[in-house]
Amino acid sequence: MTGTTGPSGRGAAVGRRIGIGLMYGLWRPRVLGAWRVPATGPVILAVNHSHNIDGPMLMGTAPRPVHFLIKKEAFIGPLDPFLLSIGQLKVDRTTTDRAAVTDALGVLKGGGVLGIFPEGSRGEGDFASLRSGLAYFAVRTGAPIVPVAVLGSTERRGRLIGALPPLRGRIDVVFGDAFDAQEEEVRSSVKGGGGRRSGGSGRRTRQAMDDATLRIQKRLAAHLENARRLTGRRAGLE
């Protein structure tokens, strides 16, 4: 799957159906703004991450099949072939995983949906610390970013399984407006008559990536705050 044939689009569609059955069967997701996800073409879902259930929840609530970049440590035992078969991408976070980067770019170039936890690992889920990977994929391909806030997964612990939210509890998934990681740079370039437009031809210098990461972080944090107000929830533990 990884680095040879690439992630399976059909497998991701199967994963979405499984996610729908599990997430709606075990919990009561409330999905807001799913219409904001472009119906066709490449798109990146940038998701806050405070619980292991966040990824599966997105797989079951997003309007399109999603290929998530998932840490290789999750691919253990039977989960390894299963996750690969449903189009998920294994990534080694300790190095520059060229196979994972190639597969992720392939998803976007093929018009698919790439799911990323831009914080890199589970935390408070507040987008306070972003890695540059999200900016790289967005600038490299020109794919729009849709911010997603998953809220309620860590507010309470379940009685039967303490590591999971309470069964049949409500979890909110809020999709924000799609935006271009280079939009400010593109506007200034157009005014000045120079520079390069988005759509996969943007600059990929370290400074450009750092600037794009800061712009993305502001947009994601603003969406998260709006989602909290909208739902009356917090992202992390109370």
Side-chain angles (χ1 to χ4, degrees):
M1 296 282 179
T2 301
T4 54
T5 61
S8 168
R10 182 177 298 179
V14 172
R16 179 171 180 262
R17 291 195 291 271
I18 294 173
I20 290 172
L22 287 176
M23 296 303 106
Y24 283 92
L26 296 175
W27 292 280
R28 294 185 298 117
R30 180 173 63 169
V31 183
L32 305 174
W35 56 269
R36 293 187 171 101
V37 178
T40 60
V43 62
I44 301 172
L45 299 183
V47 190
N48 69 311
H49 195 23
S50 56
H51 197 285
N52 283 331
I53 201 176
D54 298 337
M57 183 61 65
L58 253 293
M59 290 180 65
T61 57
R64 295 172 58 186
V66 183
H67 300 268
F68 265 102
L69 279 168
I70 302 174
K71 62 182 181 180
K72 70 173 185 178
E73 290 82 0
F75 291 73
I76 56 174
L79 280 178
D80 186 3
F82 172 71
L83 289 173
L84 293 174
S85 72
I86 59 172
Q88 305 312 296
L89 312 179
K90 182 192 301 187
V91 60
D92 184 349
R93 299 177 300 171
T94 64
T95 185
T96 300
D97 190 333
R98 297 188 182 280
V101 170
T102 297
D103 282 348
L105 291 174
V107 167
L108 295 172
K109 291 177 180 177
V113 181
L114 180 67
I116 294 181
F117 298 113
E119 295 161 290
S121 60
R122 280 184 296 119
E124 292 299 318
D126 56 5
F127 293 125
S129 178
L130 263 62
R131 295 190 175 188
S132 60
L134 172 56
Y136 172 81
F137 290 122
V139 172
R140 173 75 180 269
T141 65
I145 298 171
V146 173
V148 187
V150 179
L151 304 171
S153 59
T154 58
E155 284 183 351
R156 292 185 297 139
R157 301 190 184 279
R159 293 181 178 179
L160 295 178
I161 305 177
L164 295 176
L167 298 181
R168 304 305 299 158
R170 197 188 79 198
I171 296 177
D172 292 321
V173 182
V174 186
F175 294 86
D177 291 322
F179 66 93
D180 181 353
Q182 293 181 281
E183 57 187 3
E184 295 179 15
E185 177 184 326
V186 172
R187 258 199 310 273
S188 62
S189 296
V190 171
K191 287 180 180 179
R196 305 178 75 175
R197 294 177 181 270
S198 62
S201 60
R203 292 180 298 144
R204 297 192 293 273
T205 64
R206 174 62 62 85
Q207 186 60 52
M209 290 299 102
D210 289 345
D211 291 344
T213 297
L214 288 176
R215 287 195 295 272
I216 291 169
Q217 184 175 29
K218 290 179 182 179
R219 293 293 295 265
L220 298 185
H223 169 66
L224 182 58
E225 187 59 32
N226 182 62
R228 286 171 170 169
R229 288 197 299 267
L230 187 65
T231 62
R233 291 184 181 272
R234 292 175 55 84
L237 289 167
E238 297 289 348

